[in-house]
Amino acid sequence: MIHNELKDFPENFLWGASTSAYQVEGAWNEDGKGLSVMDVGNHPDDVTDFKVCSDHYHHYKEDIALMAEMGFKTYRFSIAWTRIIPEGTGDVNQKGIDFYNNLIDELLKHDIEPLVTMYHFDLPLALQKKGGWENRGTVDAFVNYAEVLFNEYGDRVKYWLTINEQNMMILHGNALGLLEGDPENVKKGLYQSNHHMLVAQSKVFDLCHQKVEDGKIGPAPNISTVYPASSKPEDILAANNYSAIRNWLYLDAAIFGRYNATAWSFMEEKGITPEIKEGDMEILKSGNPDFIAFNYYTSASVEGDFENQDKASNFNGDQQVVDNEAGLYRRYQNEYLEKTEFGWEIDPVGFRTTLREIYSRYNLPLIVTENGLGAYDKLEEEDTVNDDYRIKYLRKHIKQAQLAISDGVELFGFCPWSAIDLVSTHQGINKRYGFIYVNRDEFDLKDMRRIRKKSFYWYKDVIKSNGKKL
Ligand code: BG6
């Protein structure tokens, strides 16, 4: 649709940016923090671990002052479960509670709305050792942890996100290094874990409404539109399959409180349906989110060459995201899209399509909680970082967001990844995403000083003009 006149970004639009605890905080074993699965994960030899990261734990005041200088209306960060309840269940760690109290107060001092993710990949190791999410007990552990958060911070935090990218944890379970055993059982375990997460999430939606006055809560999956490789009917069917398994399985359960039929039949076909306890489906129905948060980096394309199952895929993007399913879909390289230097396809128009698809399916307000470009930034003379490529990427996506708003989508915030440089999930600190450069390398911590990138000044103008000056 071509609009003669575009709608403006709404007043009070939540411009901001995101981080997650295990990627930005460091201080991995300080002040009583317990170990999480991310603290003990395997790292390739050439990338750093998550022990120090950007040392945000000790620099949060300085970092928040820089966010305020950019004009942030919100900051999306995650709370490390292991700072609050080091063993996942049991004793609460007062020093962990204090840290986030201070961080939240510092944000409010600068009129920045806290947007809190309760769990961003960093499950307490103690729970993982008891079977992780496959163990039904983790549902209660999560609900108990959520209750602590609502009691401690609910007077000041009004926007909550439950689980970051649950769908990616299930689709690429082994990418987070959590899984052992033979692949078929692994998959069954993953879909059981998925069911437990859905139940836990639904209970926490409910709990938030009971405990937090004016509290709003939503899920935070990674959602992207799925293109068929061609107009061949089998390719279209494959796109439909992939979208059901990648996107709608998660959102249908969170919003409609039911399993998506195509996704369920896929699980039946593979013999990996989860055990559903009596009362679980009622729980799924009873917890309702107020909005949908989602992360978007790129679209996905698939083909459905069902007769030639063994044919190699032409897909050569980030290998971690290959998740072909025999008989359902095979990932496909979209020849119309440019790629980042890390091989991720760039698709701003797909962003608009994704916003429209989610909104027309669920009719809930939307907020984007991740979108951005990872690159090898270069610190140049006089402390400058000329990240024009990042500006170009974000500008194009923000333009598409405005088009989606003009299409009628109710979008109330945009939080790119990431507020400040942090350690990428798999590719170290030199894959940078931030508006603020952190002066360290993979293994040399240097002086950790914060440096405003070119995108910092650009984003400041975007926010100041409420998206008019791109
Ligand atoms: C999202 C995650 O999947 O993508 C973030 O929520 C992650 O934690 C981001 O960092 C970018 O991915 P990567 O692999 O480049 O760090």
Side-chain angles (χ1 to χ4, degrees), residues 20 22-23 76 120-121 164-165 168 222 295 297 318 320 344 370 374 417 422-427 431 433:
S20 88
Y22 78 89
Q23 294 176 275
R76 181 223 177 192
H120 191 126
F121 300 161
N164 179 69
E165 295 199 352
M168 293 298 119
N222 177 310
N295 302 344
Y297 288 88
D318 181 337
Q320 273 137 12
W344 291 27
E370 288 183 33
W417 188 261
L422 41 68
V423 180
S424 141
T425 301
H426 305 103
Q427 288 161 303
K431 185 185 194 187
Y433 282 92

Side-chain angles (χ1 to χ4, degrees), residues 218-370:
N222 177 310
I223 302 295
S224 66
T225 196
V226 181
Y227 301 126
S230 75
S231 55
K232 199 167 123 196
E234 285 77 5
D235 287 345
I236 308 234
L237 190 63
N240 191 284
N241 286 336
Y242 189 46
S243 212
I245 289 166
R246 184 197 191 287
N247 299 319
W248 312 138
L249 163 58
Y250 302 89
L251 286 178
D252 285 3
I255 288 103
F256 300 144
R258 62 165 158 73
Y259 270 96
N260 175 281
T262 309
W264 186 261
S265 81
F266 149 73
M267 289 186 268
E268 278 184 333
E269 181 60 34
K270 303 273 170 185
I272 54 174
T273 48
E275 185 198 346
I276 297 184
K277 284 227 156 67
E278 213 188 312
D280 280 1
M281 295 316 290
E282 287 69 30
I283 294 172
L284 289 193
K285 272 254 179 291
S286 74
N288 295 304
D290 303 284
F291 61 85
I292 297 171
F294 75 103
N295 302 344
Y296 175 91
Y297 288 88
T298 185
S299 55
S301 305
V302 294
E303 56 184 345
D305 196 352
F306 303 125
E307 304 303 315
N308 281 304
Q309 294 291 351
D310 298 333
K311 197 180 95 180
S313 163
N314 80 337
F315 190 72
N316 59 6
D318 181 337
Q319 290 312 302
Q320 273 137 12
V321 302
V322 176
D323 57 356
N324 299 333
E325 269 304 339
L328 280 101
Y329 59 85
R330 183 165 47 220
R331 294 298 300 276
Y332 181 82
Q333 194 76 53
N334 189 327
E335 63 269 38
Y336 296 102
L337 302 177
E338 282 176 51
K339 288 199 246 166
T340 71
E341 55 186 336
F342 283 88
W344 291 27
E345 290 170 339
I346 302 176
D347 186 6
V349 176
F351 183 40
R352 176 183 180 185
T353 312
T354 304
L355 282 156
R356 285 165 60 152
E357 275 187 86
I358 304 174
Y359 189 67
S360 60
R361 200 175 166 98
Y362 302 106
N363 240 279
L364 282 175
L366 306 182
I367 180 164
V368 177
T369 39
E370 288 183 33

Side-chain angles (χ1 to χ4, degrees), residues 388-417:
D388 296 277
Y389 35 86
R390 181 165 297 109
I391 295 174
K392 190 172 157 203
Y393 176 100
L394 289 171
R395 177 186 289 133
K396 285 185 177 176
H397 284 80
I398 294 173
K399 273 190 183 156
Q400 294 297 325
Q402 192 181 3
L403 285 164
I405 289 171
S406 305
D407 295 334
V409 172
E410 201 183 332
L411 181 69
F412 69 98
F414 180 72
C415 296
W417 188 261

Side-chain angles (χ1 to χ4, degrees), residues 176-214:
L176 289 177
L178 306 180
L179 307 171
E180 290 148 19
D182 90 85
E184 279 320 300
N185 286 336
V186 161
K187 238 182 199 158
K188 188 158 175 58
L190 281 170
Y191 282 89
Q192 187 63 56
S193 299
N194 181 49
H195 179 69
H196 290 155
M197 286 190 212
L198 293 174
V199 170
Q201 166 169 268
S202 204
K203 287 185 164 200
V204 169
F205 287 159
D206 239 356
L207 193 66
C208 176
H209 296 136
Q210 289 164 30
K211 293 256 162 196
V212 182
E213 205 183 323
D214 301 326

